[in-house]
Amino acid sequence: VYTIRLLPIGGYVRVAGDDPEIIELKPGQHIGLEFNPEDNVQKIIVNHKSKHPDARVIEVEHADLDHQLIIEGYEPDEEGEKLRFSVDRKAFFVMDEEETQIAPYDRQFASKSAGKRAMQLFAGPMMNFLLAIVIFFIVGLIQGVPSDKALVDGIVSGSPAEEAGFQKGDKIVRIEGNAIAGWDEFDKIVKDSPGKELDMTVKRNGSTETLTVTPDKLEGQGITIGQVGVQRAFEQSYAGTIQFGFEKTYDTTKMILTNLGMLVTGQYSIEMLSGPVGIYDATDQVVQAGFISFLMWTAILSVNLGIINLVPIPALDGGRLLFVGIEAVRGKPVDPQKEGIVHFIGLALLMLLMIVVTWNDIQRLF
């Protein structure tokens, strides 16, 4: 069963054999049966007194809809021999007029190889990464991709760059007399020089001139970096846009993994985590910054969701992948009951963590 939802935006895929909502036929239960032209059961009507007057009613004695695909039983209130019915592989349960297709064992999740189950579990997070690539690609098409050249596209009002006399269109070619390769090198030098006076040579309207600028000190998370207040130029390039989609997804993934590692090692405290309340508040601020900012934020959230789902925590895709990996190494699966207990404990701990981060978010907001 698959679902696409408007609110919350997204959806899910519920895999056959991994579905707690499937109706179980129990001995003594009265059901209605409808048949196809081959006399195989096509519909199993649980509430048979509703809108199926022609259904054949039987009292169930035994049913196997996984392997043998049979239903055995008797005519209600009649003494007679036991009846045996063959069930079509694509028969449906009908409950309150809602049909759900049965799933023989060879179509169930548990019957597949470890590799196929691993791929199915990885498919959800994989789509998060693919969505991020597509969104970053769209951003590149709309605004262009960052230029590799140290080309200034705008000046922040009141910044050191404005005070030094930088103008839109300036191309920075030298810093302290040394030639620079492009924007990344320029950015690194500025960040490494907070409060340090720098002489920069720029090309402007066919001529060159030297400007002196002192980067502001920007402090955060125990580090200090320099900032001059110039905006990077963008250019339109179809090939560059494709590359931009992959590079931004990679950079975002690397950033989130680094922060996750710092959280695990204790360099970040749990108070820095945000839950749904914090994400909603941040999203509200991002939306006010404009459509491009909203797209970038959506892509970052998608990557974040993909990574969190792959963390080997019980109850998440990563935890289930871990058990599939253990099965591949051992050559036999872990006891389903033991695995279920581990996932239950993991889910309980996740819910506790959710309560903690939500409380943190509420405290920060109010």
Side-chain angles (χ1 to χ4, degrees), residues 250-282:
Y250 172 78
D251 291 341
T252 303
T253 301
K254 185 178 177 181
M255 176 190 69
I256 294 173
L257 287 175
T258 299
N259 291 336
L260 187 61
M262 296 178 76
L263 180 68
V264 172
T265 57
Q267 298 176 64
Y268 284 166
S269 73
I270 196 172
E271 293 180 358
M272 299 187 70
L273 286 177
S274 279
V277 175
I279 292 172
Y280 175 84
D281 180 59

Side-chain angles (χ1 to χ4, degrees), residues 135-155:
I135 292 175
F136 282 131
F137 175 76
I138 293 172
V139 169
L141 287 177
I142 295 173
Q143 72 169 16
V145 296
S147 174
D148 291 332
K149 303 171 185 176
L151 194 62
V152 177
D153 188 55
I155 312 295

Side-chain angles (χ1 to χ4, degrees), residues 150-155 167-170 183 230-234:
L151 194 62
V152 177
D153 188 55
I155 312 295
Q167 297 179 13
K168 181 176 180 179
D170 285 350
W183 180 271
V230 294
Q231 296 171 349
R232 188 174 187 174
F234 287 81

